[in-house]
Amino acid sequence: MARQSIISRMSIGGHPIHPMLIHFPVAFLLGLVGADLAYLYTDDPFWIRVGLWLAGLGSLGGWLAAFAGLIDLVFVPRIRSLLIAWIHALLAIMTLALASFNWLLRYSNESGFDPWGLHISLLTAVLITLTSLLGGQMVYHHAVGVNTKS
């Protein structure tokens, strides 16, 4: 049985914007765990600065990608009707709120490394994994943003 495409409203030339934007924030926020562990291993303040930048760019980029995804969720009825889309959106907002808090914690901490940052980074990585699995299910099982007519 052929699946019917669910076309994205936020697209350029038929290519959905949300999947284009999400890769770097995911990489930055997952890389943040590595930066935190590198600091614990080396005690080099360089990794504190790297962590600050990864947290900030990951949060900012994630919010931009979330905006594109939100437009599709709100304005494409077939996406809006998928329970998995709402769960994906809820997990994404939780992840971004946590990542933004992590960045704020790092930005306001002048004394250096805060172990809470690592704990938040690890929790964020778990949430990113769950959110990404649901996003993949939307693409591969529900054909969200996929042209199945080629």
Side-chain angles (χ1 to χ4, degrees):
M1 179 171 111
R3 293 174 296 172
Q4 188 178 11
S5 300
I6 301 177
I7 305 301
S8 169
R9 284 271 174 101
M10 288 291 290
S11 62
I12 299 171
H15 302 284
I17 294 173
H18 175 70
M20 285 190 251
L21 294 177
I22 200 61
H23 297 287
F24 279 108
V26 165
F28 291 156
L29 293 173
L30 293 177
L32 183 54
V33 174
D36 288 346
L37 293 174
Y39 174 75
L40 287 177
Y41 183 72
T42 65
D43 205 31
D44 184 346
F46 166 78
W47 293 109
I48 294 173
R49 290 189 307 277
V50 169
L52 175 67
W53 280 97
L54 289 173
L57 291 172
S59 298
L60 177 63
W63 285 112
L64 289 172
F67 176 73
L70 179 66
I71 296 298
D72 280 342
L73 181 66
V74 171
F75 292 108
V76 180
R78 289 189 51 221
I79 295 175
R80 197 172 51 240
S81 70
L82 295 173
L83 177 61
I84 194 171
W86 289 98
I87 297 170
H88 173 77
L90 180 62
L91 282 174
I93 296 301
M94 290 169 46
T95 303
L96 288 169
L98 200 57
S100 298
F101 173 69
N102 196 359
W103 174 78
L104 185 62
L105 182 70
R106 291 163 189 273
Y107 185 77
S108 63
N109 186 357
E110 296 175 11
S111 63
F113 186 77
D114 186 343
W116 275 105
L118 173 60
H119 293 38
I120 295 170
S121 298
L122 290 168
L123 181 55
T124 300
V126 169
L127 287 173
I128 286 171
T129 302
L130 295 173
T131 305
S132 298
L133 287 170
L134 293 176
Q137 290 234 338
M138 289 170 51
V139 170
Y140 294 110
H141 295 285
H142 298 282
V144 174
V146 176
N147 182 0
T148 59
K149 299 195 187 331
S150 55

